[in-house]
Amino acid sequence: MRLKVLSVASEAAGLVKTGGLADVAGALPGALAAQGVEVTTFIPGYPAVLAKLGKAKAVHKWDALLGTRARLLAGKLGAQSLLVLDAPALFAREGGPYADAAGRDWEDNWHRFAAFARAAADIAGGAVKGRAFDLVHAHDWQAGMVPAYLKLAPLASSRPVPGVITIHNMAFQGYYPAEVFPQLGLPASAWTVDGVESYGGVGFLKAGMQLADAITTVSPTYAGEIRSVEFGMGLEGLILARSNRVHGILNGIDNAEWNPATDPHLAANYTAGKLAARAANKRALEHEFGLDRDDGPLFIVVSRLTWQKGMDVLAEVLDHLVGIGGRLAMLGSGDGEIEAAFVAAAARHPGRIGVRLGYDEGLSHRLQGGGDAILIPSRFEPCGLTQLYGLAYGCVPVVSRTGGLADTVIDANPAALAVGVATGIQMNAVSHGALAMAVSRAVDLYNRRGAWKRLQTNGMKADFSWAASGAAYGALYRQLIGDQG
Ligand code: ADP
């Protein structure tokens, strides 16, 4: 049986993006098509989205969607079916999707995303003629209220539609004061810990986790970690209580965009069988970053420079990295103090450390294509993409053992080396000592050329395409709908 799924996301690659959510929402429809699942993506009508949509058909309208006028536009982006919520009072403004140009969160975010969720529940409930859905898949806090409206305030005419919520990062929860509750259009009975109430306020992500039929997150290890106080960020009790409904499904990568054999950003293309060709990319990087030319290991970083990513600790390990013969080429931006620490390290070690502050898509490809090892010492990492790009490019990941990093990198311990399955290096909880040791292990392994080459080729042969994840989401949908076919 073909399934029709409404995917509710506030970002989608090609339309609007601030992080990994956009990549997932953008790639899942293609992966699911192969599973007999037809996905329609529902997204807010930010100016950038409306501009890309061009001329679109209005298929529904609301005179008062939580008090505001709105239209539903239907269109396409490539092969992707889109429904867009055109509600100028909520979304027609300059700035980012969640904050103004100065980075201050919009004060009415609760209203914007409650209305978005209310509209999604109406659509899923059959409000739009000719469009019926078998299941709703909500992403992150911005769509967190969808399961709440479906379960606690369904349209009178609607039939029950199962809901899934995916948590892309537990750190962002959409938490608002109790005063907004009466304006959400929910019955008074929803104000309970079994409904939308959370620590005395309204929790959008919490509501979704409470009322969805299944909760997914983006790696099996993160699905386990969020049961603890350290990673659960206040919602660990809820995850524990609903643990039989929690699933960890890894994100995939876009193999068309990230393929060293065809990548147009690289000086030289290569495959696992022609690794020697990578040398030209390394030489190009040395030149681009003003680094000494030598045959020692070249470490890279492509990252937001934040506490989550462990970049404060890495900045303190750089003298050690250089002391044992390493060099570093770094691309990133973020926390001002961390940026300054990297800039200072580059000044201390000319020719050994090169730093580019900013965001540069092409350079991120060149770094993966020419670096020997990518450093990812994250304190938490729901899935992570850069280690997957590193694996695909023969740029050996050196990672902390957390979240998706734990699930995708096989540590080069003696047992894994003996059977030839290692793909990278893992360290325990991020600390100066653990990271210094991981860097030392990387340099030792790099100097054992045969072993290093094996790490590279193992990683390049691993399959992290969307196929497996698409199949896992498809199976979950069918299980929830009760259709095993
Ligand atoms: P997160 O979403 O937490 O930042 P991920 O590893 O899941 O971390 O995804 C980060 C994405 O952003 C990757 O595609 C990575 O290549 C890209 N990226 C991060 N920083 C930069 C940068 N400064 N320039 C270019 N791309 C970057």
Side-chain angles (χ1 to χ4, degrees):
M1 181 185 125
R2 283 191 80 74
L3 299 184
K4 290 190 185 239
V5 169
L6 184 67
S7 170
V8 186
S10 112
E11 304 182 18
L15 288 169
V16 53
K17 172 169 173 170
T18 71
L21 161 66
D23 291 319
V24 178
L28 249 187
L32 282 163
Q35 304 297 321
V37 180
E38 227 173 87
V39 178
T40 300
T41 303
F42 180 48
I43 189 163
Y46 307 116
V49 172
L50 293 177
K52 291 214 175 97
L53 195 65
K55 246 187 147 24
K57 206 166 99 191
V59 293
H60 187 70
K61 69 176 205 282
W62 289 265
D63 290 330
L65 176 68
L66 293 195
T68 194
R69 292 172 77 85
R71 296 189 309 159
L72 185 67
L73 306 177
K76 287 227 161 215
L77 182 73
Q80 228 188 108
S81 300
L82 297 176
L83 288 173
V84 176
L85 184 62
D86 180 23
L90 304 177
F91 301 117
R93 45 182 92 167
E94 297 299 316
Y98 319 119
D100 64 19
R104 282 180 303 255
D105 279 357
W106 300 113
E107 270 181 23
D108 59 348
N109 273 346
W110 68 269
H111 187 208
R112 301 168 77 219
F113 292 103
F116 177 54
R118 176 69 262 179
D122 286 0
I123 299 163
V128 185
K129 250 183 110 170
R131 287 172 200 266
F133 293 94
D134 301 301
L135 182 139
V136 182
H137 188 161
H139 295 271
D140 271 352
W141 71 266
Q142 299 91 340
M145 292 296 282
V146 178
Y149 285 119
L150 282 173
K151 290 269 158 60
L152 305 177
L155 287 184
S157 56
S158 98
R159 63 190 176 95
V161 186
V164 178
I165 185 151
T166 295
I167 304 164
H168 295 269
N169 193 337
M170 196 69 133
F172 305 107
Q173 298 187 357
Y175 182 78
Y176 299 102
E179 293 77 71
V180 311
F181 176 74
Q183 301 168 73
L184 294 174
L186 286 166
S189 58
W191 183 253
T192 137
V193 72
D194 296 325
V196 304
E197 190 268 336
S198 181
Y199 293 102
V202 179
F204 279 29
L205 181 65
K206 182 265 177 182
M209 290 165 57
Q210 186 80 49
L211 294 153
D213 298 283
I215 302 168
T216 75
T217 187
V218 289
S219 69
T221 292
Y222 194 61
E225 287 172 337
I226 53 178
R227 295 159 177 240
S228 68
V229 173
E230 186 185 354
F231 295 94
M233 313 218 166
L235 297 180
E236 57 279 358
L238 174 52
I239 286 286
L240 273 173
R242 304 206 71 209
S243 60
N244 59 343
R245 301 207 171 248
V246 178
H247 307 261
I249 303 177
L250 271 180
N251 290 337
I253 63 172
D254 181 342
N255 288 127
E257 186 71 18
W258 290 93
N259 179 353
T262 54
D263 192 331
H265 299 292
L266 302 184
N269 290 114
Y270 59 94
T271 59
K274 292 218 167 60
L275 268 180
R278 280 187 107 249
N281 297 327
K282 186 167 171 176
R283 298 285 92 88
L285 270 186
E286 287 164 345
H287 182 71
E288 188 165 0
F289 279 83
L291 296 173
D292 299 340
R293 182 178 169 161
D294 74 37
D295 286 329
L298 175 57
F299 291 91
I300 67 156
V301 165
V302 179
S303 184
R304 292 188 283 121
L305 300 182
T306 62
W307 184 88
Q308 177 196 333
K309 301 288 180 183
M311 287 293 139
D312 50 326
V313 181
L314 177 60
E316 289 172 5
V317 173
L318 294 178
D319 294 341
H320 170 74
L321 182 150
V322 170
I324 58 173
R327 287 164 298 154
L328 175 77
M330 199 244 21
L331 168 65
S333 64
D335 188 304
E337 270 182 38
I338 300 177
E339 288 185 354
F342 276 94
V343 169
R348 277 200 307 280
H349 300 289
R352 310 306 295 176
I353 295 180
V355 170
R356 287 280 178 292
L357 299 178
Y359 191 95
D360 185 334
E361 187 73 29
L363 183 52
S364 75
H365 286 243
R366 296 198 291 283
L367 283 159
Q368 299 276 14
D372 294 304
I374 178 162
L375 296 167
I376 315 174
S378 302
R379 288 187 169 90
F380 66 96
E381 194 62 76
C383 179
L385 290 171
T386 55
Q387 85 278 16
L388 301 181
Y389 301 147
L391 290 168
Y393 277 61
C395 184
V396 174
V398 178
V399 306
S400 44
R401 192 175 289 119
T402 187
L405 300 172
D407 291 330
T408 55
V409 176
I410 301 175
D411 180 54
N413 62 42
L417 286 173
V419 291
V421 297
T423 61
I425 290 170
Q426 291 190 341
M427 74 196 91
N428 281 325
V430 183
S431 67
H432 185 284
L435 183 49
M437 195 167 108
V439 169
S440 295
R441 284 181 67 207
V443 172
D444 287 346
L445 268 168
Y446 177 84
N447 290 328
R448 291 162 56 190
R449 290 304 168 94
W452 189 260
K453 192 169 173 194
R454 189 71 195 262
L455 290 186
Q456 292 178 293
T457 51
N458 283 347
M460 292 179 78
K461 286 177 187 157
D463 179 7
F464 288 107
S465 65
W466 271 101
S469 315
Y473 281 110
L476 175 65
Y477 294 166
R478 287 184 197 280
Q479 183 197 329
L480 292 173
I481 293 166
D483 165 22
Q484 302 306 312

